[in-house]
Protein backbone atom coordinates (compact mmCIF):
# COMPACT_ATOMS: atom_id res chain seq x y z
CA UNK A 1 0.00 0.00 0.00
CA UNK A 2 1.38 3.42 -0.93
CA UNK A 3 2.14 5.75 1.93
CA UNK A 4 -0.10 8.80 2.15
CA UNK A 5 1.49 11.97 0.85
CA UNK A 6 0.28 15.13 -0.81
CA UNK A 7 -0.20 15.18 -4.56
CA UNK A 8 2.73 17.57 -4.90
CA UNK A 9 5.01 15.34 -2.83
CA UNK A 10 3.89 12.23 -4.71
CA UNK A 11 4.51 13.92 -8.07
CA UNK A 12 8.00 14.96 -6.96
CA UNK A 13 8.69 11.41 -5.76
CA UNK A 14 7.56 9.88 -9.07
CA UNK A 15 9.61 12.41 -11.05
CA UNK A 16 12.72 11.51 -9.04
CA UNK A 17 12.18 7.78 -9.55
CA UNK A 18 11.34 8.25 -13.23
CA UNK A 19 14.42 10.43 -13.79
CA UNK A 20 16.66 7.56 -12.70
CA UNK A 21 14.73 5.05 -14.83
CA UNK A 22 14.75 7.18 -17.99
CA UNK A 23 18.37 8.25 -17.50
CA UNK A 24 19.41 4.61 -17.35
CA UNK A 25 17.11 3.15 -20.01
CA UNK A 26 15.86 5.93 -22.30
CA UNK A 27 12.37 6.57 -23.61
CA UNK A 28 11.77 3.14 -25.07
CA UNK A 29 13.67 1.03 -22.54
CA UNK A 30 12.29 2.62 -19.38
CA UNK A 31 9.46 0.82 -17.61
CA UNK A 32 6.50 2.67 -16.14
CA UNK A 33 5.82 -0.53 -14.20
CA UNK A 34 9.27 -0.25 -12.57
CA UNK A 35 8.68 3.44 -11.86
CA UNK A 36 5.34 2.69 -10.20
CA UNK A 37 6.77 -0.19 -8.19
CA UNK A 38 9.71 1.91 -6.92
CA UNK A 39 7.34 4.77 -6.03
CA UNK A 40 4.95 2.38 -4.27
CA UNK A 41 1.99 3.25 -6.49
CA UNK A 42 0.12 1.64 -9.35
CA UNK A 43 1.10 2.03 -12.97
CA UNK A 44 -2.37 3.47 -13.60
CA UNK A 45 -1.60 6.24 -11.10
CA UNK A 46 1.59 7.11 -13.01
CA UNK A 47 -0.48 7.48 -16.18
CA UNK A 48 -3.15 9.47 -14.33
CA UNK A 49 -0.46 11.95 -13.20
CA UNK A 50 1.43 12.28 -16.48
CA UNK A 51 -0.84 11.01 -19.24
CA UNK A 52 1.71 9.02 -21.22
CA UNK A 53 5.16 7.58 -20.79
CA UNK A 54 6.42 10.01 -23.44
CA UNK A 55 4.89 13.00 -21.61
CA UNK A 56 6.69 11.96 -18.42
CA UNK A 57 9.96 11.53 -20.34
CA UNK A 58 9.59 14.93 -22.03
CA UNK A 59 8.89 16.66 -18.72
CA UNK A 60 12.10 15.22 -17.29
CA UNK A 61 14.24 15.95 -20.36
CA UNK A 62 12.95 19.52 -20.57
CA UNK A 63 13.64 20.05 -16.86
CA UNK A 64 17.20 18.72 -17.26
CA UNK A 65 17.86 21.15 -20.12
CA UNK A 66 16.17 24.00 -18.23
CA UNK A 67 18.49 23.52 -15.23
CA UNK A 68 21.44 24.05 -17.55
CA UNK A 69 19.99 27.03 -19.44
CA UNK A 70 18.71 28.69 -16.25
CA UNK A 71 22.05 28.17 -14.53
CA UNK A 72 23.93 29.63 -17.51
CA UNK A 73 21.59 32.63 -17.62
CA UNK A 74 21.88 33.27 -13.88
CA UNK A 75 25.66 33.08 -13.74
CA UNK A 76 26.09 35.30 -16.82
CA UNK A 77 23.85 38.06 -15.43
CA UNK A 78 25.73 41.37 -15.43
CA UNK A 79 28.51 39.96 -17.63
CA UNK A 80 29.09 40.06 -21.36
CA UNK A 81 31.22 38.55 -24.08
CA UNK A 82 33.89 36.05 -23.17
CA UNK A 83 33.53 36.89 -19.47
CA UNK A 84 29.92 35.68 -19.62
CA UNK A 85 30.95 32.64 -21.63
CA UNK A 86 33.66 31.77 -19.11
CA UNK A 87 31.21 32.02 -16.22
CA UNK A 88 28.70 29.85 -18.10
CA UNK A 89 31.37 27.27 -18.83
CA UNK A 90 32.51 27.08 -15.21
CA UNK A 91 28.92 26.74 -14.05
CA UNK A 92 28.21 24.03 -16.60
CA UNK A 93 31.34 22.13 -15.64
CA UNK A 94 29.89 21.90 -12.12
CA UNK A 95 26.55 20.62 -13.45
CA UNK A 96 28.27 17.60 -15.00
CA UNK A 97 28.27 16.05 -11.53
CA UNK A 98 24.48 15.60 -11.87
CA UNK A 99 24.78 12.33 -13.75
CA UNK A 100 21.02 11.80 -13.93
CA UNK A 101 20.42 15.24 -15.48
CA UNK A 102 23.28 14.71 -17.91
CA UNK A 103 22.00 11.30 -19.00
CA UNK A 104 18.45 12.66 -19.37
CA UNK A 105 19.76 15.22 -21.85
CA UNK A 106 21.62 12.55 -23.78
CA UNK A 107 18.58 10.26 -23.73
CA UNK A 108 16.60 13.18 -25.15
CA UNK A 109 19.02 13.44 -28.06
CA UNK A 110 18.93 9.66 -28.53
CA UNK A 111 15.11 9.69 -28.76
CA UNK A 112 15.02 12.37 -31.47
CA UNK A 113 13.80 9.77 -33.96
CA UNK A 114 10.38 10.56 -32.48
CA UNK A 115 9.15 13.85 -34.01
CA UNK A 116 7.56 15.08 -30.78
CA UNK A 117 10.75 14.43 -28.81
CA UNK A 118 12.84 15.99 -31.59
CA UNK A 119 10.73 19.17 -31.49
CA UNK A 120 11.01 19.40 -27.72
CA UNK A 121 14.78 18.80 -27.71
CA UNK A 122 15.22 21.33 -30.53
CA UNK A 123 13.38 23.91 -28.42
CA UNK A 124 15.56 23.08 -25.41
CA UNK A 125 18.72 23.36 -27.46
CA UNK A 126 17.54 26.62 -29.03
CA UNK A 127 17.00 28.02 -25.54
CA UNK A 128 20.53 26.96 -24.55
CA UNK A 129 21.93 28.55 -27.73
CA UNK A 130 20.00 31.77 -27.08
CA UNK A 131 21.19 31.83 -23.48
CA UNK A 132 24.82 31.62 -24.61
CA UNK A 133 24.35 34.14 -27.42
CA UNK A 134 21.81 36.70 -26.17
CA UNK A 135 23.21 39.98 -25.00
CA UNK A 136 26.74 38.66 -24.91
CA UNK A 137 27.86 40.10 -28.23
CA UNK A 138 29.28 36.74 -29.25
CA UNK A 139 29.76 35.63 -32.81
CA UNK A 140 27.68 32.57 -33.84
CA UNK A 141 30.84 30.52 -34.48
CA UNK A 142 32.02 31.29 -30.93
CA UNK A 143 28.68 30.14 -29.52
CA UNK A 144 28.80 27.03 -31.70
CA UNK A 145 32.31 26.20 -30.50
CA UNK A 146 31.34 26.75 -26.87
CA UNK A 147 28.34 24.44 -27.16
CA UNK A 148 30.41 21.87 -29.08
CA UNK A 149 32.89 21.74 -26.23
CA UNK A 150 29.93 21.33 -23.88
CA UNK A 151 28.78 18.30 -25.88
CA UNK A 152 32.27 16.83 -25.62
CA UNK A 153 32.13 17.34 -21.85
CA UNK A 154 28.72 15.61 -21.84
CA UNK A 155 30.12 12.62 -23.70
CA UNK A 156 33.11 12.47 -21.35
CA UNK A 157 30.94 12.66 -18.27
CA UNK A 158 28.61 9.98 -19.65
CA UNK A 159 31.63 7.72 -20.18
CA UNK A 160 32.81 8.61 -16.65
CA UNK A 161 36.25 9.63 -17.94
CA UNK A 162 37.14 10.71 -14.41
CA UNK A 163 37.73 7.02 -13.74
CA UNK A 164 40.00 6.50 -16.77
CA UNK A 165 43.75 7.05 -16.48
CA UNK A 166 44.63 7.49 -20.15
CA UNK A 167 45.97 10.49 -22.09
CA UNK A 168 42.77 10.81 -24.16
CA UNK A 169 40.66 10.91 -20.98
CA UNK A 170 42.97 13.58 -19.52
CA UNK A 171 42.38 15.60 -22.68
CA UNK A 172 38.60 15.26 -22.42
CA UNK A 173 38.68 16.32 -18.75
CA UNK A 174 40.74 19.43 -19.44
CA UNK A 175 38.76 22.54 -18.61
CA UNK A 176 38.48 25.05 -21.45
CA UNK A 177 39.46 28.60 -20.60
CA UNK A 178 37.73 31.58 -22.19
CA UNK A 179 40.88 32.66 -24.04
CA UNK A 180 40.46 29.73 -26.39
CA UNK A 181 37.39 31.40 -27.87
CA UNK A 182 39.03 34.76 -28.63
CA UNK A 183 40.04 33.69 -32.13
CA UNK A 184 37.01 31.49 -32.85
CA UNK A 185 34.79 33.80 -34.89
CA UNK A 186 32.98 33.70 -38.21
CA UNK A 187 35.61 36.04 -39.64
CA UNK A 188 38.53 33.74 -38.75
CA UNK A 189 36.69 30.59 -39.87
CA UNK A 190 35.60 31.34 -43.43
Amino acid sequence: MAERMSGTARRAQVLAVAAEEFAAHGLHGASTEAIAREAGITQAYVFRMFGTKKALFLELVQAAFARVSDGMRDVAEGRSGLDALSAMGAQYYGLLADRTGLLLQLQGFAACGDPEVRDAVRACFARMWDTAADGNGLDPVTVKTFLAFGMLLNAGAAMDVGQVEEPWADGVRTRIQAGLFEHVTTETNR
Side-chain angles (χ1 to χ4, degrees):
M1 184 88 181
E3 85 180 59
R4 302 280 302 163
M5 64 175 66
S6 73
T8 302
R10 177 66 71 194
R11 183 177 176 77
Q13 176 207 26
V14 173
L15 284 169
V17 169
E20 296 295 327
E21 178 72 10
F22 282 115
H25 304 289
L27 172 59
H28 300 294
S31 165
T32 54
E33 183 179 330
I35 294 166
R37 186 174 44 253
E38 180 69 24
I41 59 175
T42 66
Q43 190 175 18
Y45 191 37
V46 171
F47 288 118
R48 194 166 40 247
M49 281 193 288
F50 298 98
T52 66
K53 178 179 169 181
K54 188 191 313 182
L56 174 55
F57 175 75
L58 285 173
E59 183 170 331
L60 290 164
V61 168
Q62 289 167 327
F65 274 99
R67 277 190 296 282
V68 172
S69 293
D70 292 347
M72 287 169 54
R73 181 201 64 231
D74 293 347
V75 76
E77 191 172 323
R79 300 171 190 238
S80 64
L82 294 178
D83 181 46
L85 203 63
S86 179
M88 286 186 257
Q91 187 272 347
Y92 183 73
Y93 200 78
L95 286 175
L96 291 173
D98 174 11
R99 188 161 177 77
T100 301
L102 164 75
L103 292 175
L104 283 168
Q105 288 179 51
L106 294 174
Q107 293 289 7
F109 287 121
C112 279
D114 177 295
E116 188 178 356
V117 173
R118 184 176 53 243
D119 289 347
V121 171
R122 280 178 180 167
C124 290
F125 198 83
R127 182 172 177 225
M128 192 179 303
W129 177 284
D130 291 344
T131 300
D134 283 353
N136 292 321
L138 296 171
D139 185 280
V141 172
T142 305
V143 174
K144 179 179 178 177
T145 304
F146 173 74
L147 292 175
F149 275 110
M151 290 302 291
L152 176 61
L153 290 174
N154 284 356
M159 292 183 291
D160 204 8
V161 296
Q163 304 301 312
V164 177
E165 293 301 323
E166 296 286 336
W168 70 267
D170 290 340
V172 171
R173 285 190 297 265
T174 302
R175 179 137 179 261
I176 303 302
Q177 301 300 322
L180 172 73
F181 298 106
E182 290 175 2
H183 73 283
V184 181
T185 65
T186 301
E187 189 57 39
T188 61
N189 287 281
R190 289 192 185 266

